[in-house]
Amino acid sequence: MSLAGDVCVVTGACGFLGERLVRMLLEEERLSEIRLLDRNIRPDLTHALKDSLGETKLSVFEGDIRDSELLKRACRGASVVFHTASLIDVIGAIDPSELFGVNVKGTQLLLETCVQESVSSFIYTSSIEVAGPNVRGDPIIGGNEETQYVCCLKFPYSQSKKEAEQLCLRAHGEVLGNGARLATCVLRPMYIYGEGCRFTLGHMRDGIRNGDVLLRISRREAKVNPVYVGNAAFGHLQAARALKAPQRRAAVGGNFYYISDDTPPISYSDFNHAVLAPLGFGIQTRPVLPFPILYLMAFLMELLQAVLRPFLKFTPPMNRQLLVMLNTSFSFSYQKAHRDMGYTPRHDWEEARQRTTDWLASVLPRERERVSVK
């Protein structure tokens, strides 16, 4: 089902995934209008998009996701909302009240606005981290939406994404202002990589500082299945198309889906090496210290953070949940998304890896200069 003639809102439109989704919408759908909603709209992005607009109108809504008046203006007359906006924090650098304010309260306000303004479809970008791994590091290999797993989320970011996800699923079927009903869908992408990924960029910088040798932060056997950003964006597009198709709307609405692709299972550290090895980067054979010692160090740093919190902001570079996540096999299939919404990865591993490496090569000289200045 095509989205031709629709008015689409993309929150977080200038983010890593949001920008890729906007470009895909412009390339593949004859939209009436696409509305970019972001806290900071990049002029370079809006300028670059003008060549792809065709007959599609491009509108900009700059501001905070918690601004109810902004949301009303952005959603009025829209038919679908892609909610990709989120604060991402895996090391505890952001105050939890801010995380929950943006990720949970912002999502709640947006859902309420969609009901008031009769927006019929709502796609929420969740995270693999709402599934785990748990504190014991119990693995999941090739899991799916039916996989049972005991998980108690302790990290504020994971908690905020889980709460927002639940809000979205509970909102499915709410009566809209025009008498129709809202259809919601939640997508849980794996770790998203590709051109523009700030996490891969950060690992490259660390490698430059370490003499072009990447730090090993995960064990080889702790395999996950990252997803390429182009495939993650396509999963969102297919979700919107499915929610618009009467025969699929009932099956997809109110459900969550794992979005992965055919990137081979690999540890986080070995993934970084796979995309950076063609640029001359090596990788440590083993972690600097055994996992139990690293876990104890992370615990002690968390204690220090708690003691200093009233007097000084201290953000440890590692915490126990992040350490467990990086060292636990945790992979999921996209077969339910394939069955229900027709999602099949657009880009295979070789193409995705080459595109990522080419982007890293383009920014490498700048990053070397930046690291040398520091």
Side-chain angles (χ1 to χ4, degrees), residues 323-345:
L323 185 64
V324 170
M325 182 182 74
L326 295 173
N327 286 277
T328 301
S329 292
F330 216 63
S331 61
F332 291 84
S333 165
Y334 62 81
Q335 288 308 308
K336 184 179 179 182
H338 173 70
R339 182 181 70 247
D340 289 1
M341 63 178 70
Y343 164 74
T344 299

Side-chain angles (χ1 to χ4, degrees), residues 142-261:
N144 58 44
E145 290 77 0
E146 306 304 320
T147 301
Q148 298 297 310
Y149 189 76
V150 178
C151 182
C152 179
L153 300 174
K154 296 183 179 297
F155 204 56
Y157 169 67
S158 304
Q159 292 173 341
S160 71
K161 295 296 287 185
K162 182 66 174 181
E163 287 189 26
E165 178 180 289
Q166 291 171 338
L167 288 173
C168 294
L169 294 177
R170 285 199 298 266
H172 175 70
E174 286 198 19
V175 179
L176 303 177
N178 62 3
R181 292 188 180 273
L182 175 66
T184 67
C185 175
V186 168
L187 304 183
R188 294 180 180 175
M190 306 299 108
Y191 167 74
I192 305 176
Y193 70 92
E195 309 94 306
C197 178
R198 62 186 175 95
F199 296 109
T200 311
L201 191 61
H203 291 302
M204 183 174 76
R205 289 171 183 160
D206 290 340
I208 294 172
R209 296 187 187 97
N210 196 41
D212 287 0
V213 177
L214 301 174
L215 306 178
R216 178 168 288 282
I217 55 177
S218 56
R219 297 175 289 200
R220 291 181 183 275
E221 61 270 22
K223 295 184 177 181
V224 295
N225 54 333
V227 61
Y228 178 61
V229 63
N231 292 328
F234 183 58
H236 285 69
L237 178 56
Q238 286 299 96
R241 288 169 171 169
L243 289 181
K244 188 175 180 180
Q247 67 273 25
R248 294 202 180 209
R249 186 177 177 90
V252 174
N255 289 313
F256 75 88
Y257 294 87
Y258 290 111
I259 301 297
S260 58
D261 58 21

Side-chain angles (χ1 to χ4, degrees), residues 38-344:
D38 205 299
R39 184 167 52 184
N40 296 297
I41 299 291
R42 297 187 351 248
D44 65 303
L45 175 59
T46 56
H47 179 75
L49 292 176
K50 288 180 179 178
D51 292 337
S52 306
L53 288 178
E55 297 180 358
T56 302
K57 178 182 178 182
L58 186 70
S59 301
V60 170
F61 295 83
E62 186 172 47
D64 197 297
I65 193 71
R66 293 165 289 187
D67 183 340
S68 58
E69 289 303 316
L70 173 71
L71 297 184
K72 288 178 182 178
R73 295 198 306 272
C75 292
R76 187 159 296 142
S79 49
V80 58
V81 166
F82 296 95
H83 184 27
T84 76
S86 177
L87 288 180
I88 301 175
D89 177 28
V90 296
I91 61 172
I94 302 174
D95 188 279
S97 63
E98 183 70 6
L99 270 176
F100 282 86
V102 171
N103 294 353
V104 181
K105 182 181 178 181
T107 300
Q108 178 67 58
L109 287 173
L110 185 57
L111 284 165
E112 291 172 357
T113 303
C114 287
V115 170
Q116 295 164 7
E117 299 298 332
S118 299
V119 178
S120 60
S121 299
F122 188 101
I123 296 96
Y124 176 65
T125 310
S126 186
S127 167
I128 183 59
E129 289 190 44
V130 305
N134 58 29
V135 294
R136 296 190 302 271
D138 294 329
I140 292 180
I141 300 172
N144 58 44
E145 290 77 0
E146 306 304 320
T147 301
Q148 298 297 310
Y149 189 76
V150 178
C151 182
C152 179
L153 300 174
K154 296 183 179 297
F155 204 56
Y157 169 67
S158 304
Q159 292 173 341
S160 71
K161 295 296 287 185
K162 182 66 174 181
E163 287 189 26
E165 178 180 289
Q166 291 171 338
L167 288 173
C168 294
L169 294 177
R170 285 199 298 266
H172 175 70
E174 286 198 19
V175 179
L176 303 177
N178 62 3
R181 292 188 180 273
L182 175 66
T184 67
C185 175
V186 168
L187 304 183
R188 294 180 180 175
M190 306 299 108
Y191 167 74
I192 305 176
Y193 70 92
E195 309 94 306
C197 178
R198 62 186 175 95
F199 296 109
T200 311
L201 191 61
H203 291 302
M204 183 174 76
R205 289 171 183 160
D206 290 340
I208 294 172
R209 296 187 187 97
N210 196 41
D212 287 0
V213 177
L214 301 174
L215 306 178
R216 178 168 288 282
I217 55 177
S218 56
R219 297 175 289 200
R220 291 181 183 275
E221 61 270 22
K223 295 184 177 181
V224 295
N225 54 333
V227 61
Y228 178 61
V229 63
N231 292 328
F234 183 58
H236 285 69
L237 178 56
Q238 286 299 96
R241 288 169 171 169
L243 289 181
K244 188 175 180 180
Q247 67 273 25
R248 294 202 180 209
R249 186 177 177 90
V252 174
N255 289 313
F256 75 88
Y257 294 87
Y258 290 111
I259 301 297
S260 58
D261 58 21
D262 297 319
T263 299
I266 189 171
S267 76
Y268 284 105
S269 291
D270 290 306
F271 168 79
N272 293 330
H273 187 227
V275 296
L276 282 163
L279 305 183
F281 284 81
I283 187 172
Q284 295 172 337
T285 304
R286 58 180 64 87
V288 177
L289 294 170
F291 180 82
I293 295 178
L294 289 173
Y295 192 87
L296 175 61
M297 291 176 62
F299 171 66
L300 294 174
M301 284 190 288
E302 289 175 46
L303 282 181
L304 180 61
Q305 181 184 34
V307 170
L308 294 177
R309 184 172 290 120
F311 317 101
L312 178 70
K313 182 176 176 61
F314 167 63
T315 303
M318 182 67 67
N319 55 64
R320 286 172 294 170
Q321 180 166 319
L322 178 58
L323 185 64
V324 170
M325 182 182 74
L326 295 173
N327 286 277
T328 301
S329 292
F330 216 63
S331 61
F332 291 84
S333 165
Y334 62 81
Q335 288 308 308
K336 184 179 179 182
H338 173 70
R339 182 181 70 247
D340 289 1
M341 63 178 70
Y343 164 74
T344 299

